[in-house]
Amino acid sequence: MKEWLKKHDIPLRVLSLLLAFMLWFFVVGQEDPTKSLTFREMPVELIGLDALKSSHSLILADDDLPTVSVEVNGAVSKLSGVSADKITVRADVSSVTQAGEYSLTYDISVPNGVTVVNSTPSAVKVHFGDLVERELPVEVVIDGVMREGYVALEPELGQSTVSVSGLAEEMARAAAARIEVDADVLNRNYETSLRYDVVDAAGQVIKSDTLVHNDIYVRIKVPVQLQKLVDLSVGLVAGKGVTEEDAVVSIEPSAVLVQGEIEAVRKLENIELTTVDLASTFDSYNGKLPIVVPEGFELLGEQKHAQVNISFQGITNLTFRTDDIELINVPDGYHAELREKEMAVTVRGPSDMVAGLVSGDVSLQVDMRGRTLAVSGSLAIPATVILGENVQELGVFGTYTVYVDYEKIGQTPVDPEA
């Protein structure tokens, strides 16, 4: 065994390895080299901005914080854990008392074991401006095009103005607080709280980190209504030989544009201008009628009246002469005679029925029941038109009066001039 160890120089090799480890530990433990690192564009934290704002009404006028480059030095073992977020740069603004440009020195804090070798620039330039607070009127604009038929009414705001603070020169440009509402959501009444942009008189957004919205949100309600073309119509009441199907109705305009609550407009099918009793209409109807929309709706456009014309199809008017006149209920003890032996009666109804009228289809009846009679004389008595069973659908127009001469039986008429 000893010969094998000696033959392969094992003790020498072990000794060399131990010496190498000892040398490495010595170099690392006793001679930690140093190096430098440079951190660029390090932001400078400004201390005292809140106090400056409250005591002097001044705020930072620059959009961004000033920056510096910092060079640090230290042992490699120390620098290995150093990053930009472990280094802080601070400048005190307590010396600022009025608006303007200031050159401020700063302090740098670094981790233990690391030193600052250099920093540039040696001082930072910072601008401060006067702080102004204003009440700006709130305006609402709709972004985009609303869906067809939908209309946004005047928005209702939880507040008419908002408080905004900022640099004096920026606040001098500020004209309004603008809220934008997406048109796509306005298919119903819309209510929510929204942020706003500060805009100038031209409507351009003022973008600045120095603007402070003291009122962050504004409550807004946008009532939305619907517009729709709605047909005009007239109600028809059948009578005197004419049905609704026989009437030809013309209305100009035939439809009007109305606006109202969304669900109510959806349910509104037509607007009835009036009801026409066809029994009171002989051969046609013509009228200019006001267009009255139901409560809660608005009639749009300049057309406030509609022309309504009604005529009849398949209907004929005819004056039919009849000699079928019957005198009934002549009081006992009296003799009576009709003066008229023939009467002209106006009837209306389906053309084929009117064309087929024959004697006996139309008759008159004169009733003397309840009449107060002298010894003799004459009476004008209303006659009732009687239609035959086959022509009951016809309508009769006009009133008819028949004169009846009478005398008491067995009495000599007295001559009034005798």
Side-chain angles (χ1 to χ4, degrees), residues 35-37 70-74 115-119:
K35 62 178 293 187
S36 296
L37 289 177
V70 178
E71 183 183 359
V72 296
N73 182 271
T115 58
V116 178
V117 177
N118 187 32
S119 65

Side-chain angles (χ1 to χ4, degrees), residues 151-156 188-190 221-225:
V151 177
L153 302 186
E154 186 69 23
E156 302 171 12
R188 63 189 184 282
N189 291 333
Y190 179 74
K221 179 180 180 181
V222 183
V224 179
Q225 292 191 344

Side-chain angles (χ1 to χ4, degrees), residues 319-325 340-345 358-364 385-386:
T319 300
F320 185 80
R321 302 194 69 83
T322 180
D323 57 3
D324 189 355
I325 306 174
E340 291 81 2
K341 305 304 179 184
E342 185 180 78
M343 295 285 290
V345 179
V358 297
S359 178
D361 285 340
V362 180
S363 62
L364 286 89
V385 178
I386 307 297

Side-chain angles (χ1 to χ4, degrees), residues 51-203:
L52 187 64
K53 179 179 178 180
S54 60
S55 61
H56 297 290
S57 294
L58 295 173
I59 59 173
L60 181 66
D62 301 317
D63 289 336
D64 300 310
L65 291 172
T67 61
V68 297
S69 293
V70 178
E71 183 183 359
V72 296
N73 182 271
V76 171
S77 59
K78 297 292 185 180
L79 291 180
S80 61
V82 176
S83 58
D85 59 349
K86 299 291 180 62
I87 299 174
T88 58
V89 184
R90 295 186 178 93
D92 188 354
V93 301
S94 58
S95 61
V96 177
T97 57
Q98 62 184 13
E101 181 181 83
Y102 288 80
S103 182
L104 302 177
T105 58
Y106 52 87
D107 297 320
I108 303 173
S109 297
V110 295
N112 291 333
V114 179
T115 58
V116 178
V117 177
N118 187 32
S119 65
T120 56
S122 58
V124 292
K125 291 184 178 181
V126 185
H127 298 80
F128 294 91
D130 292 315
L131 173 67
V132 173
E133 181 177 353
R134 284 182 55 198
E135 291 289 325
L136 298 179
V138 178
E139 62 179 32
V140 179
V141 297
I142 296 176
D143 183 20
V145 179
M146 294 184 63
R147 301 181 189 182
E148 185 177 1
Y150 290 89
V151 177
L153 302 186
E154 186 69 23
E156 302 171 12
L157 298 172
Q159 58 195 86
S160 60
T161 63
V162 293
S163 172
V164 179
S165 302
L167 286 171
E169 53 266 32
E170 291 177 345
M171 294 307 299
R173 294 169 51 211
R178 185 175 68 194
I179 298 175
E180 292 189 355
V181 179
D182 187 355
D184 287 339
V185 304
L186 297 180
N187 59 350
R188 63 189 184 282
N189 291 333
Y190 179 74
E191 185 172 5
T192 188
S193 294
L194 295 175
R195 292 179 177 270
Y196 56 88
D197 291 317
V198 177
V199 297
D200 60 21

Side-chain angles (χ1 to χ4, degrees), residues 241-256:
V242 174
T243 66
E244 293 92 330
E245 290 75 18
D246 300 323
V248 179
V249 180
S250 171
I251 304 176
E252 181 58 39
S254 61
V256 292

Side-chain angles (χ1 to χ4, degrees), residues 214-225:
N214 302 318
D215 297 315
I216 300 175
Y217 293 95
V218 175
R219 192 70 182 172
I220 179 174
K221 179 180 180 181
V222 183
V224 179
Q225 292 191 344

Side-chain angles (χ1 to χ4, degrees), residues 296-416:
F297 292 85
E298 180 184 358
L299 176 64
L300 304 178
E302 299 180 356
Q303 195 80 35
K304 306 301 179 184
H305 291 78
Q307 180 64 41
V308 178
N309 299 315
I310 302 176
S311 59
F312 305 115
Q313 59 182 1
I315 298 297
T316 298
N317 303 325
L318 176 67
T319 300
F320 185 80
R321 302 194 69 83
T322 180
D323 57 3
D324 189 355
I325 306 174
E326 180 185 12
L327 182 62
I328 64 173
N329 295 319
V330 178
D332 293 340
Y334 280 88
H335 172 73
E337 289 186 4
L338 298 168
R339 287 187 191 178
E340 291 81 2
K341 305 304 179 184
E342 185 180 78
M343 295 285 290
V345 179
T346 301
V347 296
R348 179 182 73 179
S351 298
D352 55 350
M353 185 176 292
V354 172
L357 283 175
V358 297
S359 178
D361 285 340
V362 180
S363 62
L364 286 89
Q365 196 174 73
V366 182
D367 190 353
M368 292 188 67
R369 185 191 302 274
R371 301 291 173 179
T372 301
L373 305 179
V375 174
S376 63
S378 61
L379 291 173
I381 301 177
T384 301
V385 178
I386 307 297
L387 298 175
E389 291 185 0
N390 297 328
V391 293
Q392 287 292 311
E393 295 180 30
L394 296 181
V396 177
F397 281 83
T399 58
Y400 301 92
T401 301
V402 176
Y403 282 91
V404 177
D405 295 320
Y406 67 89
E407 64 179 359
K408 196 168 187 179
I409 299 173
Q411 297 288 331
T412 301
V414 178
D415 185 354

